[in-house]
């Protein structure tokens, strides 16, 4: 029998766990603790039920440094969730991989269940974005849910900047995002929610939009929690108050969890760059001095996108020492 030499370190696959959960098991892609506002809407749909073909979308991506750049070393995808092949397009940071996430179904329908896992190994540099906005369609039964799990190991630099979520009239959607940031790692995370299909004069006509964001250390130490519960009533006063949309059509956030720069410096940079964009905004240092975050409001999608991009660009330059490249999407 011929004995093969061991593979070189550059091509060794990331060690896999001895047991991998069954990704098609409802306990994997489902949500075990729904907010009461969403749980009250559970029902048997008159269309395809949860778990049916095309109703479960899964992405499980693992990244590691190989040959001096970040490579996608593990991938599992189940339609309607897919990715466009990784690209290395930044001349200033040639080792950083850019991955575009896409949904082939065109939008999120009732009883859809999505789960995305991003595992970024030590020293990796990863930028994750979406091909287009997440459109949540009208629902008459049940609800739709999406889980996002992002893990950043020591020394990694990760950006997760999806396009806005647009909840259509009558939609029911819950999103849970869990981010685990190791000491020495950096995660820049953004999100935007609109009031609906504004061109069709749909403003806060969805049934419920709920979102939970939890950022923690690998040992479970909690760094930040952000909770959104948007349940428009008859006059929509429940979503137009000062603690939510404040009468505007768009709300957007950016979080930078890092120890590459003092939290106060990150907050000052965010404040300075957004101040000239004509939007309503607030900036604060995150708990435990682990970084800073921004929330902005406005009626113009152009101004919101410009302010959000400017904030990301400024943080990227501060934390990497390089300008952020233009991100092109197919």
């Amino acid at each position: 029998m011929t004995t093969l030499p061991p593979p070189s370190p550059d091509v060794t696959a990331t060690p896999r766990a001895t047991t991998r959960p069954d990704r098609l098991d409802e306990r994997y892609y489902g949500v075990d603790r729904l907010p009461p506002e969403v749980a009250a809407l559970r029902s048997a749909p008159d269309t395809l039920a949860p778990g049916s073909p095309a109703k479960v979308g899964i992405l499980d991506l693992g990244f590691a440094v190989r040959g001096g750049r970040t490579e996608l070393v593990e991938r599992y995808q189940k339609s309607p969730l897919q990715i466009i092949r990784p690209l290395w397009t930044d001349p200033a940071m040639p080792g950083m991989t850019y991955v575009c996430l896409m949904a082939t179904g065109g939008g999120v329908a009732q009883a859809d269940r999505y789960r995305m896992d991003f595992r970024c190994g030590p020293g990796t540099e990863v930028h994750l974005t979406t091909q287009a906005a997440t459109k949540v369609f009208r629902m008459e039964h049940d609800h739709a849910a999406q889980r996002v799990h992002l893990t950043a190991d020591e020394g990694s630099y990760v950006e997760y900047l999806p396009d806005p979520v647009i909840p259509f009239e009558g939609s029911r959607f819950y999103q849970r995002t869990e981010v685990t940031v190791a000491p020495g790692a950096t995660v820049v995370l953004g999100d935007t929610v609109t009031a609906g299909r504004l061109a069709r004069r749909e403003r806060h006509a969805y049934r419920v939009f709920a979102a939970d964001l939890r950022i923690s250390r690998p040992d479970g130490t909690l760094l930040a929690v952000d909770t959104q519960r948007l349940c428009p009533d008859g006059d929509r006063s429940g979503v137009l108050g000062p603690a939510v949309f404040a009468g505007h059509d768009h709300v957007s956030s950016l979080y930078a969890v890092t120890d590459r720069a003092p939290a106060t410096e990150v907050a000052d940079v965010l404040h300075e760059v957004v101040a000239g964009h004509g939007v309503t905004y607030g900036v604060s240092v995150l708990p435990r001095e682990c970084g800073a975050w921004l929330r902005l409001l406005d009626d113009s999608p152009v101004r919101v996108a410009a302010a959000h991009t400017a904030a990301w660009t400024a943080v990227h330059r501060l934390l990497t020492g390089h300008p952020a490249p233009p991100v092109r999407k197919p």
Side-chain angles (χ1 to χ4, degrees):
M1 178 181 295
T2 302
T3 302
L4 298 177
S8 66
D10 278 351
V11 298
T12 302
T14 302
R16 298 176 65 92
T18 55
T19 59
R20 176 73 70 185
D22 181 2
R23 298 185 181 94
L24 301 183
D25 189 320
E26 185 179 2
R27 291 172 294 182
Y28 178 82
Y29 61 76
V31 178
D32 54 351
R33 295 185 305 277
L34 283 171
E37 299 87 345
V38 180
L41 300 174
R42 276 179 165 171
S43 64
D46 58 357
T47 54
L48 292 175
S52 301
K55 301 301 289 181
V56 175
I58 297 174
L59 274 180
D60 188 355
L61 308 180
F63 299 90
V65 177
R66 298 288 183 262
R69 72 178 188 179
T70 299
E71 298 274 4
L72 177 63
V73 296
E74 291 189 65
R75 182 188 70 178
Y76 177 94
Q77 64 182 36
K78 180 182 181 300
S79 292
L81 294 183
Q82 297 182 7
I83 66 168
I84 298 170
R85 71 178 185 85
L87 300 172
W88 295 265
T89 57
D90 185 359
M93 298 179 66
M96 187 169 189
T97 184
Y98 287 77
V99 178
C100 188
L101 318 172
M102 59 184 293
T104 59
V108 182
Q110 67 183 19
D112 280 359
R113 304 289 188 265
Y114 292 174
R115 172 163 175 164
M116 296 186 288
D117 288 74
F118 310 113
R119 292 167 284 107
C120 305
T124 53
E125 297 173 334
V126 182
H127 179 98
L128 300 161
T129 187
T130 53
Q131 182 186 29
T134 298
K135 296 174 283 293
V136 187
F137 295 152
R138 179 183 179 91
M139 302 173 190
E140 298 178 352
H141 302 276
D142 203 54
H143 65 280
Q146 174 170 277
R147 295 173 58 180
V148 179
H149 299 258
L150 190 155
T151 302
D153 290 343
E154 182 179 1
S156 61
Y157 179 85
V158 184
E159 296 175 338
Y160 177 55
L161 301 171
D163 282 355
V165 177
I166 305 175
F168 287 19
E169 180 180 3
S171 62
R172 314 157 174 201
F173 186 61
Y174 174 59
Q175 176 172 277
R176 179 192 296 174
T177 304
E178 298 182 17
V179 181
T180 304
V181 188
T186 292
V187 172
V188 179
L189 174 76
D191 68 72
T192 300
V193 180
T194 75
R197 292 184 293 178
L198 304 179
R200 297 177 63 92
R201 299 184 179 180
E202 288 182 8
R203 281 179 169 81
H204 303 293
Y206 46 86
R207 179 73 178 273
V208 59
F209 176 90
D212 287 316
L213 169 65
R214 179 185 177 93
I215 306 175
S216 60
R217 295 296 188 195
D219 63 2
T221 301
L222 188 61
L223 299 180
V225 171
D226 191 11
T227 299
Q228 289 181 312
R229 299 291 184 267
L230 303 176
C231 304
D233 51 20
D235 59 4
R236 297 181 176 83
S237 61
V239 298
L240 296 177
V244 278
F245 275 81
H248 296 289
D249 290 335
H250 308 271
V251 57
S252 186
S253 304
L254 186 75
Y255 306 82
V257 180
T258 185
D259 56 11
R260 294 190 178 195
T264 52
E265 184 177 355
V266 179
D268 288 344
V269 165
L270 287 171
H271 175 76
E272 292 169 6
V273 73
V274 177
H277 282 268
V279 297
T280 301
Y281 74 97
V283 176
S284 179
V285 169
L286 288 170
R288 303 178 185 271
E289 301 288 319
C290 68
W293 76 298
L294 157 76
R295 178 156 287 165
L296 58 91
L297 301 161
D298 201 77
D299 291 329
S300 167
V302 176
R303 285 195 298 268
V304 168
H308 197 269
T309 299
W312 161 62
T313 300
V315 168
H316 183 98
R317 180 184 289 273
L318 172 67
L319 300 181
T320 68
H322 301 289
V327 178
R328 298 178 180 178
K329 302 185 180 184

